[in-house]
Amino acid sequence: MKKIILVKLGGSLITKKGEPFTEKPGTIRRLVGEIKNVRGKSNTSLIIGHGGGSYPHVPAIKYKTNEGILNEESFDGIARVQDAAARLNRVVVGEFLKSKVNAVSLNPSSFMISDNGRVEKSFLAPLYMLLEYNMLPVVYGDVCLDTRKGCTILSTEQILSHLAEKLNDKFRIEKIIYCGITDGVYDAEGKRTKKITQSNISLIRERLKGSAGIDVTGGMLHKVQEALSVSGKLGIEVQIINGRKKGNLEKATSGVNVEATRIIG
Amino acid sequence: MKKIILVKLGGSLITKKGEPFTEKPGTIRRLVGEIKNVRGKSNTSLIIGHGGGSYPHVPAIKYKTNEGILNEESFDGIARVQDAAARLNRVVVGEFLKSKVNAVSLNPSSFMISDNGRVEKSFLAPLYMLLEYNMLPVVYGDVCLDTRKGCTILSTEQILSHLAEKLNDKFRIEKIIYCGITDGVYDAEGKRTKKITQSNISLIRERLKGSAGIDVTGGMLHKVQEALSVSGKLGIEVQIINGRKKGNLEKATSGVNVEATRIIG
């Protein structure tokens, strides 16, 4: 049974905060290099998902796309958020291609439909074939048409959870890695929480509530909840690691321990 | 019942021949303006498909992507053709957004799978919702994963035929317009053939054989055959018009006669 690791590259990691439509090419290139190294020495397949960061941030906030279709302008929002997310995706995939990694985009708004903010239906035949071909599927946080509220924004985390759950019958899902800009989840004293499980989640949730809303899909609290949920369903571990530190992604993906918050649902 | 016209913008019309990755921004902008005018004055919904022209041309030829997976390099081809096609798509959609038209990409390689070069399965829920929202769906000629030969290239014409056939039960498909760089199909004397039907197709086919292969999906012969087939199946007309002539697309889409080859299967 083929093994799969799903990796999220955080939007804040690959784009410049406060600078709309500005990526960090050096960081993207380094992360692509780390992913390429792992692919070269492991027979585990990877699925990459990346956040949108400063690309779709402005239109997503302006049009409140995550809240659904609120008024006539919401349709502008769907188009502009999709375009912004897809533009960053081309940058990321472009870096993979420059490094001779066969990355192929799967555009969530083209193959997913949601119901009240959660993925309801998806078309996964292309993904299965890409995995069979040992190619590198790349998804990303995207706008999604929603049968209940009209439209929504799917976080990369949710998309990866959905894919992991769907692929779980044919593949062995090893783990999910959220590669962001912190060593994991910090507590009130700025100390890293090493492990999040059902036994300490209510504490964590209470504390993280303040940070919700720093990104349109709910910040660290959303990440932790999404991670705990998929971890519990599939019996896998989700790791939140710091992608700013060189080599961290490569290590974590190769099974080497790095500073992280491990989430076990 | 909502009416739909499907419009193909030819790859040769919107990109510069022989100049890889070079679009014609002025032409794209003008065509976007004509489409915007039609949308403003008509209640017919449009679906836009555009060709790839000089964008995916180079990798598609190099890797023979249309022939399937031939060797290890074919996987590079899938990735590079997809990227090239998607890059042009961003340019086209970007022009729509600049003109305040709510265009949304539907990326064929994300929602279609083919069998020996013909679309076998597709995920059309997002398209239905975009039409319901009166937004403008934009598809394009793309690489496609193929259950028989591994991969293929779907021409924009084939994609539009597939969509027209699938939508035909819920919508009234008015016609399909191929907007290219000629006034239609010319005969040996350079005279425009006004109408192609079952009664003169064999003559046309014989003559066009020479021009096949000028683009990776089969040139004018492919267009005519695809048009005749979908026209016959749906009882609609396909028009081949010249998008170089200002106003032609707007007129043809509004039901005004322009110089064209009309194909009635």
Side-chain angles (χ1 to χ4, degrees), chain B:
Chain B
M1 206 176 222
K2 196 178 254 189
K3 292 180 281 184
I4 292 181
I5 295 176
L6 300 98
V7 175
K8 185 207 169 181
L9 306 177
S12 310
L13 178 63
I14 61 173
T15 66
K16 288 186 184 163
K17 195 180 166 183
E19 294 183 43
F21 297 102
T22 313
E23 65 273 13
K24 294 181 184 164
T27 304
I28 298 173
R29 208 165 299 139
R30 175 174 58 74
L31 295 166
V32 161
E34 296 189 28
I35 290 164
K36 184 177 180 176
N37 288 344
V38 173
R39 278 170 52 89
K41 68 188 180 196
S42 150
N43 60 357
T44 300
S45 291
L46 300 181
I47 295 174
I48 305 297
H50 64 80
S54 79
Y55 267 72
H57 192 77
V58 176
I61 293 286
K62 178 178 175 188
Y63 296 99
K64 299 180 183 170
T65 306
N66 206 24
E67 295 178 26
I69 291 177
L70 308 174
N71 52 46
E72 269 303 308
E73 294 201 333
S74 300
F75 301 109
D76 297 343
I78 293 172
R80 288 178 191 278
V81 171
Q82 192 209 38
D83 180 60
R87 280 161 65 182
L88 179 59
N89 179 247
R90 292 266 56 80
V91 172
V92 172
V93 169
E95 286 296 341
F96 277 111
L97 296 181
K98 277 185 212 162
S99 298
K100 301 193 186 305
V101 176
N102 291 332
V104 168
S105 299
L106 294 174
N107 306 68
S109 46
S110 290
F111 76 96
M112 292 181 158
I113 283 286
S114 60
D115 176 13
N116 206 24
R118 299 296 301 180
V119 181
E120 185 191 9
K121 282 185 202 158
S122 61
F123 181 72
L124 300 182
L127 176 64
Y128 279 100
M129 290 185 74
L130 292 175
L131 291 170
E132 189 191 311
Y133 292 171
N134 285 315
M135 295 183 74
L136 185 71
V138 181
V139 295
Y140 55 95
D142 197 2
V143 67
C144 187
L145 300 175
D146 190 289
T147 51
R148 191 93 55 110
K149 58 183 183 173
C151 64
T152 195
I153 288 182
L154 297 179
S155 69
T156 317
E157 292 84 3
Q158 188 195 149
I159 292 169
L160 293 185
S161 295
H162 175 82
L163 299 183
E165 288 171 33
K166 288 288 178 183
L167 294 172
N168 192 41
D169 57 342
K170 288 202 181 163
F171 299 91
R172 189 174 127 206
I173 308 297
E174 288 237 304
K175 63 183 157 191
I176 301 178
I177 296 169
Y178 297 168
C179 183
I181 56 173
T182 67
D183 290 330
V185 179
Y186 298 116
D187 66 16
E189 286 79 43
K191 226 183 115 197
R192 174 169 57 96
T193 304
K194 291 190 179 166
K195 202 189 276 189
I196 297 176
T197 64
Q198 294 298 348
S199 64
N200 65 349
I201 181 63
S202 40
L203 252 156
I204 305 275
R205 190 180 290 131
E206 213 42 52
R207 212 174 43 65
L208 288 178
K209 268 183 185 164
S211 81
I214 53 169
D215 80 24
V216 290
T217 47
M220 188 59 94
L221 179 59
H222 167 74
K223 288 180 186 38
V224 168
Q225 288 179 322
E226 192 65 49
L228 199 69
S229 166
V230 70
S231 164
K233 277 183 200 161
L234 303 184
I236 59 168
E237 186 173 309
V238 179
Q239 293 179 354
I240 303 182
I241 67 162
N242 194 340
R244 283 177 160 166
K245 295 184 180 168
K246 199 177 160 180
N248 252 8
L249 176 59
E250 185 173 344
K251 281 182 202 151
T253 314
S254 312
V256 177
N257 277 340
V258 301
E259 286 190 333
T261 294
R262 297 165 58 205
I263 299 167
I264 303 163

Side-chain angles (χ1 to χ4, degrees), chain A residues 69 75-76 79-80 82-83 86 90 97 102-107 110-111 113 123 125-126 129 133 135 145-146 150, chain B residues 69 75-76 79-80 82-83 86 90 97 102-107 110-111 123 125-126 129 133 135 145-146 150:
Chain A
I69 292 178
F75 300 110
D76 297 344
R80 288 179 192 278
Q82 192 209 39
D83 180 59
R90 291 264 60 77
L97 296 181
N102 291 331
V104 167
S105 300
L106 294 174
N107 307 66
S110 290
F111 76 96
I113 283 287
F123 182 71
M129 289 185 74
Y133 292 172
M135 295 183 75
L145 300 175
D146 190 288
Chain B
I69 291 177
F75 301 109
D76 297 343
R80 288 178 191 278
Q82 192 209 38
D83 180 60
R90 292 266 56 80
L97 296 181
N102 291 332
V104 168
S105 299
L106 294 174
N107 306 68
S110 290
F111 76 96
F123 181 72
M129 290 185 74
Y133 292 171
M135 295 183 74
L145 300 175
D146 190 289

